[in-house]
Amino acid sequence: MKHTEHKSETIDGFQYDNESQLYKATIQNIDFMMDEYTDENAEYARKLASAYHLYLSKIMDFLLEDEAFRDDGIFPDQNKETLLPALGTPSILLLSNNDGQCSYCNQTLDDTHIISFEFSDIFDDLYDLTIEG
């Protein structure tokens, strides 16, 4: 089911935010956002929330492969044990009911950068790592 009336509605735990024009919910300490509420997207968010912690090792490996985390990068001397707590709460923007973008907006590695990557399915494919700031 697709909802288009916004105002200040809450659907299945997703609250419409007028400022960002996104539906938002926190599920298992992960912030989820979608531009249009659909039952499929809400179910996808719940599946991602349940699976996120199972895929953390894969996500950490993916991030640590980037040049930004090498000795001469902007985040040197990182490993899984130091990086994981520094990333903070993930924010996941659902791009469809099959893919999304995970961002770490409040990471504590520095005060400037946002670390993001895109993924498909339930973190099956991780790609397009960006570090902005």
Side-chain angles (χ1 to χ4, degrees):
M1 173 190 254
K2 190 179 196 179
H3 295 267
T4 53
E5 270 195 50
H6 303 301
K7 298 179 185 159
S8 292
E9 69 181 340
T10 299
I11 305 166
D12 198 18
F14 282 85
Q15 172 73 41
Y16 185 76
D17 178 64
N18 287 313
E19 187 175 324
S20 65
Q21 298 183 348
L22 295 169
Y23 285 91
K24 297 180 175 185
T26 300
I27 305 169
Q28 296 184 28
N29 297 318
I30 302 170
D31 297 329
F32 286 91
M33 298 161 287
M34 63 179 89
D35 61 354
E36 286 188 86
Y37 178 88
T38 65
D39 292 338
E40 294 82 12
N41 279 350
E43 180 60 25
Y44 184 42
R46 286 188 284 277
K47 287 179 182 177
L48 289 169
S50 295
Y52 178 79
H53 298 287
L54 300 173
Y55 285 86
L56 273 176
S57 182
K58 179 180 180 176
I59 292 168
M60 293 300 107
D61 287 341
F62 173 71
L63 296 175
L64 289 168
E65 287 174 4
D66 190 79
E67 63 188 34
F69 294 95
R70 296 197 184 122
D71 290 340
D72 59 346
I74 55 176
F75 304 124
D77 303 321
Q78 294 298 315
N79 58 48
K80 287 182 184 182
E81 291 76 31
T82 59
L83 181 58
L84 180 59
L87 289 176
T89 302
S91 296
I92 296 179
L93 174 63
L94 302 179
L95 303 174
S96 74
N97 63 356
N98 223 18
D99 59 358
Q101 180 183 51
C102 181
S103 298
Y104 301 97
C105 302
N106 297 311
Q107 54 81 14
T108 59
L109 297 166
D110 68 9
D111 295 334
T112 338
H113 295 90
I114 296 174
I115 302 167
S116 301
F117 66 90
E118 293 188 22
F119 60 89
S120 61
D121 299 317
I122 307 293
F123 304 108
D124 291 343
D125 295 313
L126 309 177
Y127 53 93
D128 287 344
L129 175 65
T130 58
I131 299 174
E132 298 178 34

